[in-house]
Amino acid sequence: MVDLEKIISLCKRRGFIFQGSDQYGGLQGTWDYGPLGVELKNNVKRAWWRRVVYERDDMEGLDCAILMNRLVFKYSGHEDTFSDPMVDCRKCKKRFRADQVDPNEKCSEGDKHDFTEPRPFNLMFKTSCGPVADESNTTYLRPETAQGIFVNFKNVLDSTNRKLPFGIAQIGKSYRNEITPRNFIFRVREFEQMEIEFFVKPGTDDEWHKKWVENRFNWYTELGIRPENLRKYEQKPEELAHYAKATVDLLYRFFPDREDENKQFDEVEGIANRTDFDLTCHTKGGKLVLADGREIPNVHAINKLTYFDHETNQHILPYVVEPSAGVDRATLAFLMDSYCEETVNDGQRIVLKLHPELAPIKVAVLPLKKNNEGIRNTAMQIKNTLMKKSGWRTVYDDTAGIGKLYRRQDEIGTPFCITVDFDTLENQTVTVRDRDTMTQERVKIDALQEYLAGKLGNC
Ligand code: GAP
């Protein structure tokens, strides 16, 4: 299986992902998605939205502001507890996440590090809202999209008349001032999440939790992740966040070169049963209960976040099942799982066998001879017609010989290449080449759209 280094190199070479602020030496923990990266990432998000919103009857969407009232983070518990343990080395003066650093690691100043005692470091990015930068204007960039869903629960409920069970989905940026961002887009300071808060009646939560774990696992495998590279990991009671009744993490084999197989896997998504913890924190007259047992009564919230259950004639606080995925980690997993190196007649080829729905470009139209006006014009025409009629991202490329053009499209995962040649001018047919099998078929120009639609499906 491909390692991270090869993926990083491909991403830069072909314009998927670049170091953030590269021109000025970079900004640690930030990455920019290039021309192909933005297409791939958008396709990942679209495939998620399609499955979890459009193809279900029990979901609504939402898009909240990233900046939120500070009180959201007071009553969610983030101000008090959203921290990682940090240590400083007294010798090299560097900072590390205590639970991730090897105490025997060599210090750049010689011998082993000399660490301070661990202390909590809050991961939220602080900022101020408005022209006066004092404490009263302090707020944070959201560290998860979830809180926006909880505080909008009543707005969505009232405006849609939904009955339990139903869910709210949101995709958006989140920010965490990670102590040690690392491993490319795996752990970064600015990232995107795809989160669902699925509201259910208490007592049905375990069953819904199980359903969502299966549903989410299948999403990855249906889009091409090999099941042997994806694992379900049920958190042990001592690992659970204090508010979670159960959590199953989906772990992908991000680090295949690690010797210990268990260490090859890390989280791409977590599916938690959060009970009524969040709605209790944010409801009028509710309270936040911290892990150490301290209680913070909510004296600021304006609305009750309850649901009227007509069966029991009671107002209840729904339970929440939360499938929470990282867009960047999912994108990385799809890139890694689709990467292949193959020996073919004319040498080696690198090919991204991406699911067509995820492929940044669906069809490339290539003229056999770029200096033949008839061939060139026909190719351009085919590209424009396909793009307009089907909406597929279709490109025209004449910047190299046909062999090189095929290799280029293979390496970026384009499922189909159409070649326009001299026969095209005679009989109005083109060659359609399949990325994975490299087989070629002759298809009439008039029949192209239907032919490709049969293969590309829902793209
Ligand atoms: N609302 C729950 C929540 O945010 P989380 O496990 O902290 O849970 C969910 O985050 C997902 O977000 C993770 O499984 C991961 O895919 C992604 N994620 C979290 N922190 C990240 C980071 N620093 N860089 C990239 N992705 C991250």
Side-chain angles (χ1 to χ4, degrees):
M1 201 184 152
V2 65
D3 62 23
L4 217 46
E5 289 314 310
K6 278 192 179 169
I7 292 291
I8 295 171
S9 152
L10 171 81
C11 283
K12 178 153 182 156
R13 191 169 68 248
R14 289 298 185 204
F16 280 92
I17 301 169
F18 311 119
Q19 172 67 62
S21 311
D22 206 11
Q23 175 74 350
Y24 288 97
L27 177 66
Q28 225 198 344
T30 65
W31 294 89
D32 296 340
Y33 285 76
L36 294 174
V38 65
E39 299 291 344
L40 173 60
K41 188 155 79 132
N42 281 343
N43 292 343
V44 170
K45 292 189 278 185
R46 218 172 278 133
W48 183 86
W49 195 266
R50 181 200 289 272
R51 298 304 187 294
V52 307
V53 182
Y54 294 171
E55 291 183 5
R56 299 180 64 101
D57 299 317
D58 52 7
M59 291 287 301
E60 299 287 350
L62 191 70
D63 181 17
C64 304
I66 290 170
L67 289 172
M68 302 183 84
N69 190 315
R70 182 180 187 168
L71 292 170
V72 172
F73 302 111
K74 172 183 167 70
Y75 290 113
S76 66
H78 282 88
E79 271 197 336
D80 273 304
T81 61
F82 194 63
S83 51
D84 279 336
M86 179 174 71
V87 288
D88 288 303
C89 171
R90 294 186 185 92
K91 288 203 289 194
C92 67
K93 311 288 179 219
K94 287 198 184 123
R95 292 195 152 158
F96 302 88
R97 219 175 109 171
D99 57 341
Q100 282 181 350
V101 69
D102 174 1
N104 296 317
E105 188 183 286
K106 215 171 165 305
C107 174
S108 56
E109 296 303 303
D111 258 2
K112 285 198 303 193
H113 290 290
D114 176 13
F115 288 132
T116 56
E117 280 303 303
R119 60 192 189 288
F121 172 75
N122 195 301
L123 299 183
M124 284 199 294
F125 279 100
K126 223 177 199 178
T127 186
S128 47
C129 220
V132 184
D134 66 12
E135 266 296 290
S136 66
N137 289 325
T138 294
T139 189
Y140 307 94
L141 301 183
R142 67 179 178 201
E144 59 175 12
T145 66
Q147 296 307 320
I149 301 182
F150 297 129
V151 298
N152 273 292
F153 173 71
K154 188 175 158 50
N155 287 334
V156 176
L157 188 65
D158 289 353
S159 56
T160 61
N161 274 322
R162 281 282 181 183
K163 302 279 174 277
L164 292 182
F166 77 94
I168 304 177
Q170 172 162 230
I171 299 177
K173 290 263 185 178
S174 294
Y175 298 83
R176 297 183 191 178
N177 198 3
E178 296 284 354
I179 299 167
T180 42
R182 60 171 75 166
N183 293 323
F184 192 36
I185 53 172
F186 178 81
R187 188 174 307 287
V188 288
R189 292 186 168 132
E190 172 173 328
F191 55 101
E192 271 187 282
Q193 291 183 308
M194 307 183 280
E195 296 201 291
I196 297 166
E197 305 304 330
F198 198 77
F199 301 97
V200 303
K201 283 191 189 174
T204 65
D205 48 308
D206 294 336
E207 177 198 332
W208 275 108
H209 186 236
K210 280 200 192 90
K211 280 191 200 168
W212 273 110
V213 170
E214 289 316 307
N215 180 303
R216 295 302 307 140
F217 187 95
N218 294 342
W219 181 79
Y220 291 95
T221 54
E222 279 162 21
L223 286 170
I225 299 284
R226 282 161 287 177
E228 65 268 26
N229 291 335
L230 192 66
R231 283 185 179 174
K232 293 175 200 149
Y233 174 77
E234 174 135 25
Q235 289 190 10
K236 301 189 181 84
E238 64 274 20
E239 294 171 318
L240 287 173
H242 76 283
Y243 49 77
K245 189 173 159 189
T247 297
V248 174
D249 290 329
L250 300 184
L251 312 179
Y252 178 72
R253 199 192 295 268
F254 285 112
F255 309 105
D257 45 347
R258 290 183 182 164
E259 225 168 274
D260 177 349
E261 199 184 357
N262 284 329
K263 292 197 174 140
Q264 295 177 359
F265 287 80
D266 214 326
E267 182 184 330
V268 62
E269 170 159 357
I271 301 121
N273 180 346
R274 298 177 67 113
T275 70
D276 59 356
F277 176 86
D278 306 278
L279 293 183
T280 306
C281 294
H282 289 301
T283 196
K284 182 180 179 177
K287 64 181 178 206
L288 162 67
V289 182
L290 296 168
D292 59 11
R294 269 181 300 149
E295 292 189 358
I296 303 180
N298 191 327
V299 293
H300 290 97
I302 290 167
N303 295 304
K304 286 252 182 220
L305 300 182
T306 49
Y307 170 87
F308 186 70
D309 183 356
H310 287 277
E311 276 174 22
T312 59
N313 271 340
Q314 278 183 335
H315 291 277
I316 59 166
L317 278 170
Y319 270 33
V320 172
V321 173
E322 179 196 63
S324 171
V327 177
D328 309 79
R329 286 190 193 177
T331 301
L332 180 57
F334 288 122
L335 275 169
M336 291 182 73
D337 226 84
S338 63
Y339 182 98
C340 303
E341 285 174 12
E342 290 178 352
T343 308
V344 286
N345 295 342
D346 52 347
Q348 280 267 311
R349 75 164 184 158
I350 292 173
V351 51
L352 286 186
K353 294 189 175 173
L354 285 166
H355 189 287
E357 200 174 336
L358 301 182
I361 292 165
K362 314 299 181 199
V363 184
V365 187
L366 316 171
L368 192 69
K369 282 261 174 284
K370 75 168 173 186
N371 46 14
N372 180 304
E373 206 182 331
I375 291 182
R376 210 175 50 234
N377 288 347
T378 308
M380 280 302 280
Q381 221 167 34
I382 292 173
K383 183 252 158 187
N384 289 334
T385 310
L386 276 181
M387 185 66 236
K388 225 184 223 159
K389 284 200 178 157
S390 63
W392 300 316
R393 175 92 164 100
T394 308
V395 296
Y396 168 91
D397 192 1
D398 66 8
T399 56
I402 195 72
K404 217 166 182 187
L405 293 178
Y406 283 154
R407 292 287 165 270
R408 195 182 285 169
Q409 295 301 328
D410 287 344
E411 208 181 7
I412 62 173
T414 306
F416 293 102
C417 287
I418 294 173
T419 310
V420 178
D421 54 24
F422 289 103
D423 286 347
T424 311
L425 306 181
E426 302 292 317
N427 60 15
Q428 297 295 296
T429 65
V430 290
T431 300
V432 180
R433 175 186 178 270
D434 181 294
R435 175 195 68 196
D436 299 345
T437 61
M438 293 189 291
T439 50
Q440 307 197 358
E441 266 192 78
R442 212 65 204 176
V443 180
K444 277 235 168 254
I445 294 177
D446 287 350
L448 258 181
Q449 203 193 332
E450 209 183 320
Y451 174 88
L452 290 169
K455 302 203 173 253
L456 288 169
N458 267 347
C459 291

